[in-house]
Amino acid sequence: MNAVNESFALSPGGACQKPPVKVLSSQLRESFPSSGQESSHVCFIRRWGGGRSDQLGLNVVWMQGTVLDVTDEQHTTVRLQDETGTFAVIGARNVPKGQPCLFKGNYVMVIGSIQSCSPEPVLRAIKITGLSENPMHRRLWQLEVEDLQEILP
């Protein structure tokens, strides 16, 4: 796990210095919290697929899923479901608005900072974009996650 710690760094303000990593909700639920950095919500996940066995440390992720529910809690909370389970996104009202996409049944991508990993992953929204127009986004998602995680250092 030392190699993971050396390759992952937080800026002095606690922001991630790397781009978001594509993950599945089950990876976050099964993740390990970083020792000594609980306040920055860094989690270590097992890579998806059968390639590499080392772990990835992350605090900003890219996830995709189908909208299950939208409420006005915590500046708009969205519950989503991907192929491996459910996750929540808080602060959706605070992200820049594009084409409206937060409707039950829509497929969306979310970039967010990890607030918690279990019992259910919770992200604070940074970006939300609708992907329902092209069904290939949903079909290819697990393959994209696996492919990216195999090539990340």
Side-chain angles (χ1 to χ4, degrees):
M1 194 137 94
N2 288 340
V4 173
N5 287 331
E6 292 171 3
S7 67
F8 181 80
L10 294 176
S11 69
C16 183
Q17 292 181 339
K18 293 185 176 188
V21 175
K22 295 177 179 181
V23 299
L24 299 170
S25 64
S26 63
Q27 290 180 285
L28 290 180
R29 271 192 306 284
E30 298 165 1
S31 69
F32 307 97
S34 170
S35 59
Q37 293 183 351
E38 286 81 9
S39 62
S40 60
H41 304 286
V42 176
C43 294
F44 291 94
I45 63 165
R46 291 189 176 100
R47 293 174 189 258
W48 186 257
R52 298 173 53 175
S53 62
D54 56 324
Q55 298 174 351
L56 292 171
L58 44 91
N59 69 342
V60 177
V61 295
W62 172 335
M63 298 177 75
Q64 292 182 190
T66 303
V67 176
L68 299 176
D69 190 33
V70 181
T71 64
D72 279 334
E73 297 172 19
Q74 298 185 24
H75 302 287
T76 306
T77 298
V78 183
R79 289 200 15 94
L80 298 141
Q81 181 168 14
D82 67 11
E83 295 83 353
T84 65
T86 61
F87 60 101
V89 178
I90 60 174
R93 186 183 333 146
N94 299 333
V95 298
K97 303 291 185 267
Q99 184 176 14
C101 61
L102 295 179
F103 301 106
K104 188 173 181 175
N106 276 0
Y107 190 73
V108 300
M109 65 83 70
V110 175
I111 294 176
S113 60
I114 298 171
Q115 301 301 294
S116 69
C117 293
S118 70
E120 179 180 64
V122 176
L123 309 178
R124 177 164 303 285
I126 295 171
K127 178 179 181 177
I128 300 175
T129 302
L131 300 176
S132 291
E133 293 177 9
N134 186 344
M136 292 305 287
H137 292 294
R138 185 185 321 240
R139 289 186 194 133
L140 296 175
W141 180 240
Q142 282 188 317
L143 296 173
E144 288 181 39
V145 170
E146 182 177 353
D147 186 51
L148 176 69
Q149 290 182 15
E150 284 185 3
I151 62 171
L152 285 174

